[in-house]
Amino acid sequence: MKANLDMTLYLVTDSTYHTEESFYKTIEEACQGGVTLVQLREKNCGGREYLEKARKVKVITDRYQIPLIIDDRVDVAIACDAAGVHVGSSDLPVSVARELLGPDKIVGATAKTVEAAKKAYEEGADYLGVGAIFPTTTKVVTIRTSVETLNEICQAVPIPAVAIGGLNDGNMDVLKGGNMDGIAVVSAIMKAEHPKEAAQKLKAHVKELK
């Protein structure tokens, strides 16, 4: 595990809910509220636009000393000097992302099975995103993952894992007593009327689950 990698509350962005101004404002307020990691996820963005957004978001995350992870695009992560990248099952293999980024950057991977988790770890992943625990409202295609599988993954590999998928302050108690290192959320913060307060509440609740 990379030093100082705090997985407690992992914000995954979604700009489809926002104007350009409200998008960056929401990320800033979430950082003020205590998110510990930010992933910029842009599924329908060209490389130039993605990089422009990444650089703007990195200005915000740097201000709060929060690592910025880029979804999918290793080239964008390198170009903006992000802390790392997150790859899914249809993206570049973890081993390739690790080779391109080198040993010091963060490489995260999506894992829905124990086998996939072990493979990602062996290829050099620093953390895992496991889910979807609940159905999501994002446009990303998801497959449900049971809490039981999440706990099995946490026991099978020595790297941290976060639960993701439809999690919010009202349903995360299903994770209580598990071995996950935190939760990743999209809508619970990106759609919140008051993102700072939402982040503070979520973070406090996650700590109660451990």
Side-chain angles (χ1 to χ4, degrees), residues 8 12 21 24 27 38 42 46 57 60 80 84-85 92 117 130 133 136 146 166 175 189 195 205:
T8 306
V12 180
E21 181 183 359
Y24 298 116
I27 294 170
V38 173
E42 292 288 340
V57 172
I60 298 169
C80 74
V85 71
L92 285 177
V130 182
I133 305 300
T136 72
S146 69
L175 303 171
I189 289 178
H205 199 158

Side-chain angles (χ1 to χ4, degrees), residues 110-137:
T110 299
K112 299 179 183 297
T113 65
V114 171
E115 292 74 21
K118 287 180 176 178
K119 188 171 188 292
Y121 167 64
E122 288 164 1
E123 290 188 0
D126 294 300
Y127 75 84
L128 301 173
V130 182
I133 305 300
F134 293 106
T136 72
T137 59

Side-chain angles (χ1 to χ4, degrees), residues 20-115:
E20 184 176 1
E21 181 183 359
S22 70
F23 177 65
Y24 298 116
K25 185 173 184 288
T26 296
I27 294 170
E28 174 119 31
E29 290 186 15
C31 291
Q32 292 170 351
V35 298
T36 56
L37 208 60
V38 173
Q39 179 190 136
L40 178 63
R41 184 165 71 181
E42 292 288 340
K43 293 296 185 185
N44 302 304
C45 218
R48 187 182 297 271
E49 184 183 354
Y50 205 155
L51 177 57
E52 184 180 331
K53 284 189 173 183
R55 284 174 169 162
K56 289 179 179 178
V57 172
K58 190 171 183 293
V59 169
I60 298 169
T61 55
D62 282 355
R63 191 178 299 141
Y64 298 92
Q65 297 182 304
I66 297 169
L68 173 64
I69 304 297
I70 302 297
D71 182 53
D72 293 355
R73 298 288 297 267
V74 175
D75 56 340
V76 173
I78 293 170
C80 74
D81 193 27
V85 71
H86 184 94
V87 292
S89 57
S90 62
D91 302 324
L92 285 177
V94 170
S95 57
V96 175
R98 172 59 68 208
E99 184 178 349
L100 292 170
L101 286 171
D104 299 326
K105 294 290 188 179
I106 299 166
V107 176
T110 299
K112 299 179 183 297
T113 65
V114 171
E115 292 74 21

